[in-house]
Amino acid sequence: KMRNLIYILVWLALAWRLHSQTELDTNSSNAHVRPGRRLLQYDYLLTDDDKREGAKITVGCAISLSATASRGCANIAETVPSYYIDKVTRSIKINQSLTVTTYRVVCWGDLVTANPFDAVDLTLYRQFSVGVGINGLITACGITLSTSTLRCYGNNDESVGTGGVVTKGQAEPPNGEYTQVSVGGLHACALCADAATCLQFNGESIGCWGNDRMAQSSPPPIEQVSVLYTITYVYVHCGYQHTCALRSDNLLACWGSNMDGQIRMPSSQLATTTADSGYITLDSNYGCCMNCDMCDCTSSGHAGIGSRCRNADRFSAGWYHTCAIRAGCDVQCQDSLVRCSSGTRTAWYQPGTSCTCTACARPHQLECWGYNAYGVSEPPTGQFKAVVASFDFSCAIYAECNGQDVVDGQVSGSNLTQCQLANTVVCWGRNNRQQTSPSSTMCNRAEEARIAAEKLLNQTRFETPAPPTPRPTCVCTPQGCDCFGLNPRLELEAAACSRPPVALPLLAA
């Protein structure tokens, strides 16, 4: 009952109804200056990595995902042919020089927030994150391009603790330089960019601020195991009252509220000696494949369409649940046949280490844990490259086949195969506002362009007569030559034959 009341309060405070499908073009020169009312649909800028990945897509169109409240969005790339009518052949052809790859954002669901950040110029930020709290509290934080410092906007929930000590709210970020930020319900976390910034967090690579009632702003310190290298946090994502972060050794850590089991991932252990510090995975379940013999390592940064994935795509913390994509084979060796040409399996992430194995535990499959109303923690089958968890639903993008650790095969619950579903979006969970119903035609611009060209061809009146249909050549046999064409009673044409024709019997009338 309490959770249902929370849902009602959030919707009353946040939303009004809109159409179930909206699009935002990201190709124009002003596309990066997004109006504030769009901020909650997606909270990152179109990057060069996005464009490189979009150029690699051969089927489907989805690059990455975002979700807020009851609205999901996908950043998509489509290569749309430029058709023209060839008047000589009276057919449509493609002008390759004018064919371009376009990028846009497609959204589904019928709720958006008001315009809380209409004065924010997103061109000033390298990364931007928006968080939604209870009673309509909305906060946004960004990392500036010029100084890598944090700036926050919107609601700020200060709290007074024991002895009257005031705890800064989520819109009061710490000083220093940062590489990534994530905003939750009433708290936020960021990864520090240099040692001087990390000092204020006791030397840890991550810092959190805002409400800490459920320890969501208290990341567990990393126990270093070697003096030769340092394990750090490489990506953080904040839920409503919990936080998860991926470490450089591909261990996933989660801390904060565990009222619904949202921080207790499968195959986990205590992050420190107390449960208050959260949990970490027992092994590298949620990293990405780095072995180019077993995975798709065709780009210098990440492939994105098969095996290697960006940190932001590997896992996502929703309000009361968490979802993550399992790793590639090289970090999930499950048998005794582990072969390391250098280094050891337990320290595969150490520079210079190279290990392979012959078994892999469900690579690129989804795992979700925590609150499971509406089946939100019961992900579909298949192999995936990106996942996002939101209020009461989640979405993911199917990975493209690479013949290595993402292979073809019938996907359970679907009449399509893995390769056919590649780079398309699937959602699950609550669907009261169509938030789990992404458009089935979001990747159809190329097909629409072809249909429009054919329609124009059918409506075109040509001034010159159509070219004659070529007559079939004569077919010659030892008995003579047969020059039958479209007319079955056509007489033999001796002039077109190499030898005199043999008269053939007339067909019966």
Side-chain angles (χ1 to χ4, degrees), residues 49 244 317 334 506:
D49 273 350
C244 292
Q334 301 295 313
L506 294 176

Side-chain angles (χ1 to χ4, degrees), residues 172-364:
E172 300 177 79
N175 297 323
E177 298 182 8
Y178 300 86
T179 59
Q180 186 246 325
V181 63
S182 178
V183 182
L186 299 174
H187 74 295
C189 297
L191 304 181
C192 51
D194 53 42
T197 301
C198 292
L199 281 178
Q200 61 186 311
F201 309 121
N202 298 319
E204 295 294 329
S205 54
I206 188 173
C208 300
W209 62 97
N211 191 293
D212 197 34
R213 185 174 66 89
M214 304 299 291
Q216 67 265 42
S217 297
S218 299
I222 295 177
E223 180 181 353
Q224 302 297 331
V225 296
S226 174
V227 296
L228 301 178
Y229 54 88
T230 301
I231 303 172
T232 62
Y233 287 107
V234 295
Y235 185 79
V236 61
H237 194 253
C238 296
Y240 175 53
Q241 287 186 322
H242 78 290
T243 308
C244 292
L246 189 69
R247 304 179 356 164
S248 58
D249 58 355
N250 271 356
L251 295 184
L252 181 66
C254 294
W255 61 92
S257 172
N258 197 40
M259 295 180 63
D260 294 285
Q262 61 264 51
I263 68 171
R264 187 71 182 269
M265 70 284 288
S267 184
S268 62
Q269 61 185 340
L270 292 176
T272 62
T273 56
T274 64
D276 293 339
S277 295
Y279 297 87
I280 58 174
T281 50
L282 286 170
D283 47 28
S284 305
N285 288 342
Y286 307 109
C288 277
C289 189
M290 300 298 179
N291 182 347
C292 295
D293 292 331
M294 305 179 73
C295 308
D296 180 7
C297 301
T298 57
S299 70
S300 59
H302 61 88
I305 60 172
S307 302
R308 303 177 68 189
C309 51
R310 291 176 288 190
N311 294 328
D313 298 329
R314 302 185 193 186
F315 71 96
S316 182
W319 267 48
Y320 303 110
H321 74 292
T322 306
C323 291
I325 299 175
R326 294 185 66 88
C329 294
D330 63 324
V331 295
Q332 283 194 347
C333 296
Q334 301 295 313
D335 62 5
S336 59
L337 300 178
V338 180
R339 299 179 179 88
C340 294
S341 58
S342 61
T344 63
R345 170 190 171 184
T346 56
W348 66 268
Y349 48 85
Q350 183 177 352
T353 298
S354 178
C355 300
T356 61
C357 60
T358 58
C360 190
R362 298 183 286 123
H364 308 289

Side-chain angles (χ1 to χ4, degrees), residues 374-392:
Y374 313 106
V376 72
S377 292
E378 298 175 2
T381 59
Q383 294 181 285
F384 300 87
K385 71 172 186 178
V387 64
V388 64
S390 186
F391 188 56
D392 49 12

